[in-house]
Amino acid sequence: MSRRHAYWICQLGGWTGYSVMRLTLYSFFQTITWKWGVSYAVFIAAGVLYTHLYRRLAKRREWTQMSLGQLAPRVVGATLTVALLLHLTMDGVGRYVLERDFYEEVQSEIGMLLASVVNMWILLMLWSLIYFGVHYFWSYRQAEVDKWKLEAQAETARLKALKLQLNPHFFFNSLNSVRALIAEDPDGAQRMVTRLARLLRSTLQADDMKTVPLEEELSTVRTYLKLEKVRFEDRLRHRIEVDDEARSHPVPFMLVQTLVENGIKHGVACCQEGGVITVRGRVVDGALHIRVTNPGTLDTEEGGTGLDNARERLRLLFGTEASLTVENADAETVSATAVLPVRAVPESTVVQGRVSLAARD
């Protein structure tokens, strides 16, 4: 059952059940006529309508995101307003349908108003307690689900990165490059082995990482590009242009690495003359923009699983404000752009103060 269906079932069932209980109670003291049925049908409709409008106001103003101290006065004010509207509605029904005051046992008009409004207010406070209580329960449960999904996505990304780095094509190409360098450039062969070891070690040590500072992610990317440079030689060129302001902001672990590898696999490797991989990063209007461009044209199936995984991790870490788009920048260039809101993510997801092994080159 969806939340929407559950909400309407509770609305109609709750107000109808309350009205039937009131009518049953009144039946012990007086004769219930069809006019009473009409009056309580109006009461049910008014209760459902007013509380639904109250709910829409709460959702629009994002009351469910507020603390208890912020929420309490708003709920009290809203329920008093709805209680007064219900009183006026039922007072009119009592006068013009039942041809009597709805609370005729109370002698004064002020006493009738107070008794009616207080009664309705207590009922609406109970409605609010149930509504916000259920909502907070659902939000807590969804947060737990998102937490586990995020951990699973992070682990999947780590394992996928390790698989990509250890797959025979990548690994044996790297070893063949080392073999070719041993005789011609022993120092270069030694540096390449060191870089490969650092890249693999960096991945293996990332068990609990969900985000890292952008500067640390760029260190891993630089090491990866240097390894691929040995294989592609002059066919692979790269530029990294990242503003100082952007370097400290957290990004999902291996996000930029995924975009760069995608650009090499579907861009540089497919072009006979190779091309330039460009990584740009800057903060614009309170959001971190990371753009990776590569030569080629967009293939609709290009990087599907990896990019979908990256989009889901962005959503779980940064919410719906984050995005990842891939498009043709021009006739010969493809760009992948990630946009992340600049705000704190949960402390448990950010790795602070760890210097990447890949950075020491």
Side-chain angles (χ1 to χ4, degrees), residues 14 30 37 48 66 83 87 114 122 137 141 173 191 197 218-219 225 234 239 241 276 295 304 310 342:
Q30 58 192 27
V48 170
M66 297 179 179
H87 160 75
L114 289 176
I122 293 173
F137 171 77
R141 187 175 64 177
N173 273 331
R191 286 194 299 270
L218 293 176
S219 297
L225 286 168
D234 293 338
R239 292 197 302 269
E241 303 168 355
V276 180
V342 175

Side-chain angles (χ1 to χ4, degrees), residues 149-209:
K149 285 179 68 176
L150 181 59
E151 291 181 359
Q153 291 284 355
E155 183 66 11
T156 298
R158 185 186 73 84
L159 293 174
K160 182 181 178 184
L162 183 58
K163 180 181 178 181
L164 289 172
Q165 292 161 3
L166 283 175
N167 72 67
H169 186 265
F170 175 87
F171 192 67
F172 287 117
N173 273 331
S174 298
L175 289 180
N176 285 333
S177 298
V178 172
R179 181 175 177 273
L181 286 173
I182 288 175
E184 300 176 7
D185 184 5
D187 291 338
Q190 184 177 9
R191 286 194 299 270
M192 187 168 183
V193 171
T194 301
R195 288 166 183 160
L196 181 60
R198 286 173 180 169
L199 185 60
L200 297 178
R201 186 182 302 174
S202 177
T203 304
L204 287 169
Q205 290 181 337
D207 288 348
D208 298 325
M209 282 193 226

Side-chain angles (χ1 to χ4, degrees), residues 114-132:
L114 289 176
S116 177
V117 171
V118 168
N119 182 54
M120 298 296 182
W121 179 73
I122 293 173
L123 177 63
L124 291 166
M125 285 296 291
L126 178 61
W127 186 97
S128 300
L129 180 63
I130 294 173
Y131 175 74
F132 286 105

Side-chain angles (χ1 to χ4, degrees), residues 338-360:
V339 179
L340 295 70
V342 175
R343 65 167 184 263
V345 296
E347 292 183 2
S348 61
T349 69
V350 182
V351 178
Q352 298 286 356
R354 190 178 72 84
V355 179
S356 173
L357 294 170
R360 298 200 305 266

Side-chain angles (χ1 to χ4, degrees), residues 205-347:
Q205 290 181 337
D207 288 348
D208 298 325
M209 282 193 226
K210 297 180 181 66
T211 68
V212 294
L214 177 58
E215 176 60 32
E216 185 168 328
E217 177 77 356
L218 293 176
S219 297
T220 303
V221 169
R222 290 188 188 98
T223 301
Y224 175 75
L225 286 168
K226 288 175 182 178
L227 287 169
E228 291 291 64
K229 175 71 173 177
V230 174
R231 179 158 67 100
F232 288 98
E233 298 181 338
D234 293 338
R235 291 178 60 207
L236 173 60
R237 301 174 298 282
H238 74 273
R239 292 197 302 269
I240 297 180
E241 303 168 355
V242 178
D243 295 345
D244 291 339
E245 181 185 3
R247 293 177 180 271
S248 61
H249 290 294
V251 298
F253 173 64
M254 299 302 285
L255 171 67
V256 184
Q257 163 80 7
T258 299
L259 300 181
V260 168
E261 201 231 340
N262 200 60
I264 293 176
K265 179 180 178 182
H266 297 285
V268 174
C270 297
C271 298
Q272 185 175 1
E273 68 279 9
V276 180
I277 297 289
T278 303
V279 179
R280 293 187 174 90
R282 59 178 182 159
V283 176
V284 180
D285 297 330
L288 174 62
H289 292 246
I290 301 171
R291 190 182 191 193
V292 177
T293 60
N294 59 268
T297 56
L298 181 62
D299 181 348
T300 56
E301 298 180 357
E302 188 173 299
T305 302
L307 295 180
D308 287 344
N309 182 286
R311 288 189 182 96
E312 178 67 5
R313 293 175 63 218
L314 279 172
R315 184 191 70 80
L316 291 171
L317 279 168
F318 296 92
T320 55
E321 298 176 40
S323 63
L324 173 59
T325 57
V326 182
E327 59 187 357
N328 286 308
D330 54 47
E332 299 179 348
T333 308
V334 175
S335 69
T337 305
V339 179
L340 295 70
V342 175
R343 65 167 184 263
V345 296
E347 292 183 2

